[in-house]
Amino acid sequence: MLEIDAVTRTYADITAVDSVSFAVPAGAMVGFVGGNGAGKTTTMRIIMGILAPDSGSVRWRGQQLNPAIRSRIGYMPEERGLYPKQPLLEQLVYLARLHGMSQRQARERITALLQRFGLGDRRADKVETLSLGNQQRGQIIAAVLGEPVALVLDEPFSGLDPAAVDQMSALLREYTAAGVPVLFSSHQLDLVDRLCDSIVVLHDGKVVANGTSAELRETGQMRYRLTVGDDAGWVRGHGGVRVLDLDGPSAVVEIEAADEAIAQQLLREALGRGSVQEFSPVRPSLSEIYRGVAA
Amino acid sequence: MSLETRPPGEASDDAAASQAGALAPDHRDWALVASREIRVKLTDRNFLVSTGITLVLIIGLLGLQAFIAARSGATEYSVVVSSAQGEAIVGQAEAVLQAQEDDASVSVTRVGDAAAGEALVTEGDADGALTQRQGGWTLLSDGGGPAELERALADAVRQAALTANAEAAGTSVPELLSGAELTTEDVSGEDAAEEVVQIVAGILFGVLFYMASLTYGISIANSVVEEKQSRIVEILAAVIPVRALLTGKVLGNTLLAFGQMALLVGVSLIGLSFTEFDRFLPMMTEPLLWYLPFFVAGFVALACMWAAAGALASRTEDLQSTTLPLTLTLVLVFVVALNLEGAARTAGSFVPVMSTILMPMRLLEGGVGWWEPVAALAATVVFGYLTILVGSTLYRRALMQTQGRVTLRQAMRLKG
């Protein structure tokens, strides 16, 4: 388990990260969400030891992160690239050796990874001659070549073509299935919703929401969509109900104090007035939750 | 395909953590960085071609020198005589020539009379014919004989006449000449040729340092900015300490600079030993041995500053402006060093970096106390320690700033 505990970091007079705490449990995929400048990259750089926190700490299995453990964390920075003029295999072997692997170990592992990502026959090519998609596959390999015990990925899906998104998703699932904790940031909320076990929402350097997708949806609000045979304008006058949207026969309402009894009352009233075509609870999408907490 | 990741569960975390220790980079990560720097350079075609051309030029120049010396070296003359006396005079002339040039030789052909000798000369078979006429000697030539041969023969004739005349007067040549010789003595203790060699060797040492410092300094800055521009730097910084990255870069390029210098100097010295200048080699040994540590110290003293200049840029295009202060400093040091004289020059030979140019020059000239190079070297080491502190701080602070050029003032304000 990777734990981030009350980490704070300031730049001049801006507090980029303000007492941020959350955990990435073993085998869990945690989505790190927030607008530009929310502090995601700074937090990830602090986890990787590239930036020092002003206060707070990062722990691995309860132990303060040290360079030896950090070298086993796979990292993909937001701004990433490889040496443009060096052959792919050669520089990946170099990176693996910096991770502490022997020359032979490194060659074997990277050759296998290159095969997996369909780059087997491009191994001797200089990176600058590869297509953008293949360069990105090379960067993915760079992130996982050190037999990582945890993964910290800053916008790993940004700029990937659909095929690479699928390869990347499959790869991340393999890691979580093997018990490796994965933290990744993304602006693609649908992807986060689909892949992640839990989500941490950062806003202005603070954690404003943290939990599983289901937990985040438990916002304490109860919303229903009601569609009746003719005009639904009458719902405005119904007690204990706030109308969020009204369009002819259809209305989206919020039940005050999430009182189920009021909802049932509303349904009876509607049935009493005529036909009811739809009466269903409305689950907020992740984007709506995100907008709610990060407003 | 399996990814060989650790199995899940609490126990696996422990295993992973302990294995992290086993697989973790040891303190040789800087060595990996250094060896990459060297490997990339050694497989760079431009680098190989330019080094090759320089070597070919050196070998070619020295070879040409040796070739010219060999061709003009063996002086051979042939003289025709018609008497035993003539033969003796030519033998004496050969001795005179050999005093100036070891392998000079004069071959003698004995003919019956002067007419036969003259015939051989006009046919071009001999350089001259020596005949005795009216109590004196005459050298017959076809259009004027070689000046050196004429001088040597004139010397020999004069010597023979002197000996004969002295005997007739009842005395000897040494007696006649006693007190007649003017000996000259140069109190400066300098040999003109030696002085030229000292100056040339000193300037070459200086030029080599200047070129190496500039070339490999820019190479360090380039390598830093390449990592920034390609954005690989953050991947590297997450795996190894930034300090190790800097150490490896400086070390790798220092070894490259030193290796190339040693190769050029080595080839030059070996080449020199095949030319007539080989007599100057012994006097260069000590200054050369001093030059090596001065070269390394002078280079390292600026290396971290070059790395900092690279880190202040974020694209290759910025390099020209961020490295300008260093380039100018080097040019200034080089030009000032070559133009200093007297006490100022002595003082300059203790100034860090400038000492790499001036101290070996002074050592070549001689008369330098043993403590002087030691003190100058110590000053460079202290100066180098300071530049490494400043340079590595700037490097560390500016390295992650990938948005545009970082000014010196901004870098100083940045947090590590």
Side-chain angles (χ1 to χ4, degrees):
Chain A
M1 178 153 89
L2 188 64
E3 287 169 283
I4 289 84
D5 185 14
V7 164
T8 298
R9 164 83 191 199
T10 56
Y11 292 107
D13 46 359
I14 304 158
T15 305
V17 172
D18 190 358
S19 194
V20 163
S21 299
F22 64 90
V24 189
M29 205 177 312
V30 174
F32 205 25
V33 181
N36 292 327
K40 304 187 299 289
T41 295
T42 301
T43 306
M44 289 180 148
R45 283 180 168 178
I46 289 171
I47 295 174
M48 293 314 299
I50 292 164
L51 290 174
D54 295 335
S55 62
S57 64
V58 183
R59 290 192 296 273
W60 168 252
R61 289 272 301 123
Q63 194 189 338
Q64 190 91 14
L65 267 193
N66 58 41
I69 299 172
R70 275 203 177 98
S71 78
R72 294 297 312 279
I73 300 180
Y75 178 50
M76 194 186 242
E78 184 184 15
E79 290 184 340
R80 52 189 172 249
L82 297 168
Y83 289 110
K85 296 192 188 303
Q86 213 180 350
L88 190 58
L89 177 69
E90 191 184 312
Q91 66 177 302
L92 290 174
V93 166
Y94 168 63
L95 290 175
R97 298 211 59 200
L98 290 181
H99 275 283
M101 284 189 183
S102 72
Q103 177 82 21
R104 229 193 75 209
Q105 236 181 331
R107 280 192 89 85
E108 280 172 7
R109 177 157 171 83
I110 288 157
T111 306
L113 282 166
L114 285 172
Q115 291 288 354
R116 176 191 171 126
F117 281 91
L119 290 169
D121 52 349
R122 311 301 301 272
R123 67 178 77 181
D125 291 8
K126 285 182 180 174
V127 166
E128 63 186 358
T129 67
L130 298 179
S131 70
L132 201 60
N134 281 340
Q135 289 189 21
Q136 285 164 341
R137 286 174 178 84
Q139 288 156 7
I140 295 172
I141 295 173
V144 299
L145 51 72
E147 295 189 352
V149 295
L151 285 172
V152 174
L153 313 168
D154 201 353
E155 298 282 350
F157 294 99
S158 97
L160 292 196
D161 59 43
V165 167
D166 290 344
Q167 282 176 320
M168 183 78 182
S169 309
L171 185 71
L172 295 188
R173 284 217 172 89
E174 271 176 51
Y175 274 102
T176 51
V180 171
V182 175
L183 173 70
F184 78 85
S185 70
S186 182
H187 286 302
Q188 289 151 278
L189 296 176
D190 54 326
L191 208 62
V192 173
D193 203 11
R194 204 175 68 202
L195 287 174
C196 290
D197 301 298
S198 74
I199 296 156
V200 175
V201 184
L202 210 59
H203 181 66
D204 277 347
K206 292 191 179 73
V207 174
V208 289
N210 180 4
T212 63
S213 177
E215 280 167 355
L216 290 188
R217 288 193 167 91
E218 292 297 324
T219 51
Q221 293 167 340
M222 185 181 282
R223 289 176 184 180
Y224 282 94
R225 176 182 301 280
L226 174 67
T227 309
V228 292
D230 48 20
D231 192 65
W234 57 268
V235 294
R236 284 192 193 283
H238 198 278
V241 168
R242 201 160 64 87
V243 179
L244 299 175
D245 187 36
L246 183 62
D247 184 14
S250 187
V252 176
V253 296
E254 186 171 314
I255 310 298
E256 276 174 16
D259 189 344
E260 185 64 35
I262 296 175
Q264 294 307 317
Q265 244 176 37
L266 182 70
L267 177 59
R268 274 195 295 278
E269 168 94 32
L271 286 166
R273 283 173 179 267
S275 69
V276 174
Q277 278 145 19
E278 183 189 7
F279 186 71
S280 58
V282 176
R283 298 201 182 283
S285 70
L286 191 59
S287 321
E288 283 172 308
I289 298 167
Y290 172 72
R291 273 191 280 276
V293 292
Chain B
M1 185 175 298
S2 139
L3 275 162
E4 301 168 43
T5 43
R6 302 297 129 215
E10 294 297 295
S12 79
D13 277 359
D14 281 334
S18 65
Q19 202 190 345
L23 247 187
D26 50 26
H27 295 293
R28 284 180 296 119
D29 39 15
W30 52 264
L32 284 169
V33 176
S35 72
R36 181 190 167 272
E37 290 287 322
I38 294 171
R39 201 171 53 247
V40 167
K41 198 83 179 173
L42 291 186
T43 51
D44 177 19
R45 196 182 304 152
N46 291 340
F47 171 77
L48 292 177
V49 167
S50 68
T51 308
I53 289 176
T54 314
L55 276 179
V56 166
L57 277 178
I58 292 178
I59 294 170
L61 270 177
L62 290 169
L64 191 67
Q65 183 69 37
F67 177 70
I68 291 170
R71 266 187 59 137
S72 59
T75 313
E76 279 175 35
Y77 300 117
S78 57
V79 179
V80 191
V81 294
S82 52
S83 66
Q85 277 163 300
E87 227 169 312
I89 287 174
V90 173
Q92 174 70 28
E94 186 175 38
V96 171
L97 280 172
Q98 280 171 354
Q100 291 158 11
E101 205 181 309
D102 286 345
D103 46 2
S105 66
V106 186
S107 63
V108 191
T109 314
R110 179 90 178 259
V111 290
D113 56 13
E118 192 177 337
L120 278 175
V121 170
T122 43
E123 279 162 25
D125 290 337
D127 292 309
L130 194 65
T131 56
Q132 207 165 17
R133 284 181 194 165
Q134 298 136 19
W137 291 92
T138 305
L139 180 67
L140 303 175
S141 70
D142 187 18
E148 272 198 324
L149 178 66
E150 267 176 41
R151 264 199 302 276
L153 283 169
D155 226 30
V157 166
R158 188 162 47 243
Q159 197 70 31
L162 262 178
T163 311
N165 295 346
E167 264 170 35
T171 175
S172 70
V173 175
E175 258 174 72
L176 271 177
L177 288 179
S178 90
E181 203 171 327
L182 172 71
T183 44
T184 57
E185 199 178 312
D186 185 354
V187 291
S188 73
E190 281 170 10
D191 171 348
E194 201 174 292
E195 207 176 333
V196 169
V197 170
Q198 283 165 0
I199 291 171
V200 170
I203 290 176
L204 281 182
F205 280 171
V207 168
L208 261 181
F209 172 70
Y210 169 76
M211 297 293 289
S213 204
L214 205 60
T215 312
Y216 288 93
I218 287 175
S219 166
I220 290 177
N222 239 324
S223 155
V224 171
V225 84
E226 188 200 11
E227 283 171 1
K228 276 189 81 170
Q229 192 169 10
S230 70
R231 306 285 199 250
I232 198 175
V233 65
E234 199 170 336
I235 294 174
L236 296 173
V239 191
I240 59 168
V242 169
R243 201 181 340 104
L245 195 56
L246 177 63
T247 310
K249 258 182 211 311
V250 167
L251 198 79
N253 280 284
T254 306
L255 283 174
L256 278 168
F258 187 79
Q260 198 184 30
M261 181 276 291
L263 182 70
L264 296 182
V265 169
V267 166
S268 307
L269 289 182
I270 292 171
L272 216 54
S273 68
F274 287 107
T275 70
E276 54 180 317
F277 298 112
D278 59 347
R279 67 189 170 106
F280 299 112
L281 288 178
M283 83 177 198
M284 280 199 268
T285 311
E286 200 199 331
L288 184 65
L289 287 179
W290 273 112
Y291 176 65
L292 303 180
F294 269 103
F295 181 93
V296 173
F299 183 83
V300 172
L302 292 180
C304 281
M305 299 307 282
W306 284 108
L312 290 176
S314 56
R315 294 169 310 146
T316 316
E317 294 89 321
D318 302 333
L319 268 188
Q320 207 161 18
S321 57
T322 59
T323 58
L324 190 66
L326 278 166
T327 315
L328 280 181
T329 306
L330 261 179
V331 172
L332 208 67
V333 163
F334 185 65
V335 171
V336 168
L338 291 188
N339 286 291
L340 283 180
E341 274 171 20
R345 187 158 179 263
T346 308
S349 70
F350 289 94
V351 174
V353 183
M354 195 181 280
S355 59
T356 302
I357 298 170
L358 281 182
M359 195 52 91
M361 278 189 185
R362 289 190 54 218
L363 284 161
L364 276 165
E365 289 156 19
V368 177
W370 66 267
W371 62 271
E372 293 187 67
V374 174
L377 208 51
T380 311
V381 170
V382 171
F383 174 74
Y385 177 74
L386 294 177
T387 61
I388 287 170
L389 277 187
V390 174
S392 59
T393 305
L394 286 173
Y395 174 78
R396 219 178 42 238
R397 291 182 178 176
L399 196 60
M400 290 300 155
Q401 306 297 316
T402 47
Q403 312 294 330
R405 240 198 88 184
V406 185
T407 65
L408 212 55
R409 192 172 301 169
Q410 283 167 344
M412 283 304 191
R413 276 208 307 260
L414 287 169
K415 277 208 284 194

